[in-house]
Amino acid sequence: MAVAVVVVMLVVATVLFHFVSPWRATPLASNWQQMDDTLAITLVITGIFFVVISLFIAYTVFRFRHREGSKAAYQPENKKLERWLIGGTSVGIMALLAPGLLVYGDYITPPPDALTVEVLGQQWQWRYRLPGTDGKLGKTDVRYVSAANPFGIDPADPAGGNNVLVNSNELHLPLHKPVRMLLRSIDVLHDFYVPEFRARMNMVPGMVTTFWFTPTRVGRFEVLCAQLCGVAHYNMRGYVVVEDEPSYHAWLKGQPTFMTTMAATQAGQPALSERAIQGRSLAQSKGCVACHTTDGGSGVGPTWKGLFDKTETMADGSTAHVDEAYLKDFIRNPQSRVVKGFAPIMPKIEMSDDELAALVEYIKTFRATGPGTPRQRAEK
Ligand code: CUA
């Protein structure tokens, strides 16, 4: 009897929780209303099964409870009941699967006028590549993959030169324009996921996966990596900024092409040295960028712009020259001293000597050397 009551209470509590729970899906920002509908169908079907089966269990536990003198009946087979169960389960499973298959068919079939954007996943950052004016992405091959050419773009392919490379985790997209996403991974399994778009797809090393969507709302939406991909998986985040057409084109014009980044490298002036590029990855993966800006903007910690070579004032009034030794010492022992105007909250982050050197090399690239430094030319 008690068991039956508990089961009924569980059913009531679960159904109630569904209706009063404050956790709801974020408002939709793409054309994929169908994804929500499919989820709703699944929820209704599984919900009905859950309620009916649970109440049936409660009923049988109560109705056939042990009583003095009662005896269980032995019934090895019941053809009629089996037919009903097989028929009912089959219809239920088909109703669960069919809508999903139809929507998935749409999801991977982009309209012909869709923009193409390639996303490259790497532990633990996002990069994006867009075609130039000819609308073509250049060929890629693992042989060409290096720190300076993470996409592995074939330098001999004429279609690759004008490809726009976004060396940041923020992608901009025009409003109301369908986008075909091509997804690749350079190392392990990742998953590109923007909850508001109801769109996600695994990124599998060695293959190109695809889906498409149309942004329907202006805003800045977070990209999450949805596959456990290593210790900094939680921090593999990016942004998709949806904006009007003119703003999008202004942003696009500010991004370097493959040709300009390669030209800078060949002229002996790499946009960033291999080591600084490694440092940039570390700044992302170790979470430094969450507190330190690189453009002079305020943050939880001091900005890196103009940090190297400057004289820093400490909370106790003393001063220190920011050089390599200072930075390394500070990163190794963040609590040993406090910079004036900042709270002593920098965490100690485990890093090898090699990683530390790379990170410092990257911070050095933001030193105040006036306009026209190689990095500013490359990142403008
Ligand atoms: Cu990439 Cu998780």
Side-chain angles (χ1 to χ4, degrees):
M1 180 70 181
V3 174
V5 172
V6 168
V7 171
V8 172
M9 274 162 59
L10 267 176
V11 172
V12 172
T14 309
V15 174
L16 257 172
F17 180 81
H18 169 74
F19 288 104
V20 300
S21 158
W23 295 295
R24 299 278 147 191
T26 48
L28 184 69
S30 83
N31 58 315
W32 289 117
Q33 177 62 43
Q34 284 170 287
M35 292 283 179
D36 287 357
D37 297 344
T38 314
L39 280 175
I41 293 172
T42 305
L43 184 74
V44 167
I45 293 173
T46 53
I48 289 173
F49 271 76
F50 170 74
V51 170
V52 168
I53 290 172
S54 300
L55 293 181
F56 177 69
I57 289 172
Y59 166 76
T60 45
V61 165
F62 172 73
R63 174 76 179 73
F64 302 106
R65 66 189 181 279
H66 176 71
R67 266 177 294 205
E68 211 52 56
S70 67
K71 208 165 163 245
Y74 177 58
Q75 192 179 21
E77 215 166 346
N78 185 333
K79 283 259 160 59
K80 199 173 152 215
L81 181 64
E82 280 163 21
R83 265 195 284 273
W84 267 105
L85 286 178
I86 291 172
T89 321
S90 305
V91 171
I93 289 182
M94 279 190 273
L96 283 175
L97 284 181
L101 287 175
L102 292 175
V103 176
Y104 188 79
D106 282 351
Y107 188 58
I108 56 168
T109 314
D113 62 334
L115 278 177
T116 298
V117 174
E118 183 180 68
V119 186
L120 185 69
Q122 182 179 2
Q123 289 176 318
W124 290 276
Q125 54 186 312
W126 304 100
R127 287 195 188 85
Y128 309 96
R129 175 164 73 124
L130 294 91
T133 40
D134 58 355
K136 280 189 207 146
L137 286 174
K139 284 197 203 75
T140 59
D141 194 296
V142 282
R143 278 176 299 156
Y144 304 115
V145 172
S146 69
N149 183 8
F151 287 91
I153 301 168
D154 181 352
D157 181 8
N162 64 1
N163 287 180
V164 175
L165 305 182
V166 182
N167 279 317
S168 108
N169 62 16
E170 188 173 292
L171 170 72
H172 289 225
L173 290 174
L175 186 65
H176 296 314
K177 193 104 177 63
V179 193
R180 178 171 71 125
M181 305 297 279
L182 301 174
L183 306 137
R184 289 198 293 148
S185 167
I186 209 170
D187 40 38
V188 301
L189 190 64
H190 300 282
D191 188 298
F192 183 87
Y193 177 36
V194 180
E196 286 87 348
F197 297 157
R198 305 296 192 269
R200 64 193 287 172
M201 185 65 77
N202 275 356
M203 312 171 75
V204 188
M207 68 187 279
V208 182
T209 48
T210 185
F211 69 88
W212 74 276
F213 69 98
T214 305
T216 54
R217 204 146 57 79
V218 167
R220 189 165 188 258
F221 305 104
E222 196 167 19
V223 178
L224 305 169
C225 176
Q227 283 289 357
L228 183 58
C229 57
V231 291
H233 155 70
Y234 73 95
N235 202 35
M236 187 167 169
R237 288 181 268 188
Y239 292 93
V240 175
V241 174
V242 177
E243 56 195 3
D244 56 37
E245 199 93 21
S247 315
Y248 167 72
H249 284 291
W251 169 83
L252 193 62
K253 261 171 69 186
Q255 305 302 314
T257 63
F258 178 59
M259 202 147 40
T260 53
T261 50
M262 287 329 254
T265 312
Q266 274 152 19
Q269 289 181 328
L272 285 181
S273 68
E274 294 260 335
R275 183 144 256 218
I277 289 171
Q278 190 200 343
R280 181 172 62 194
S281 303
L282 286 165
Q284 293 269 358
S285 60
K286 302 278 183 185
C288 313
V289 293
C291 298
H292 299 277
T293 68
T294 57
D295 59 0
S298 60
V300 175
T303 181
W304 287 351
K305 189 183 179 191
L307 178 64
F308 194 80
D309 242 2
K310 84 179 246 205
T311 303
E312 191 77 279
T313 309
M314 299 294 138
D316 61 6
S318 65
T319 56
H321 179 236
V322 179
D323 53 13
E324 281 188 24
Y326 170 94
L327 287 174
K328 286 184 180 172
D329 193 48
F330 208 113
I331 297 167
R332 280 270 185 256
N333 295 298
Q335 307 293 337
S336 64
R337 46 185 158 177
V338 182
V339 177
K340 194 177 174 203
F342 292 97
I345 52 168
M346 172 150 156
K348 196 167 154 60
I349 287 159
E350 290 308 322
M351 237 182 267
S352 67
D353 288 345
D354 198 50
E355 289 177 323
L356 185 59
L359 186 60
V360 168
E361 193 64 32
Y362 178 56
I363 295 172
K364 266 167 89 173
T365 63
F366 297 102
R367 68 204 297 177
T369 44
T373 57
R375 85 160 282 113
Q376 281 168 325
R377 275 201 298 275
E379 301 220 330
K380 266 278 137 71

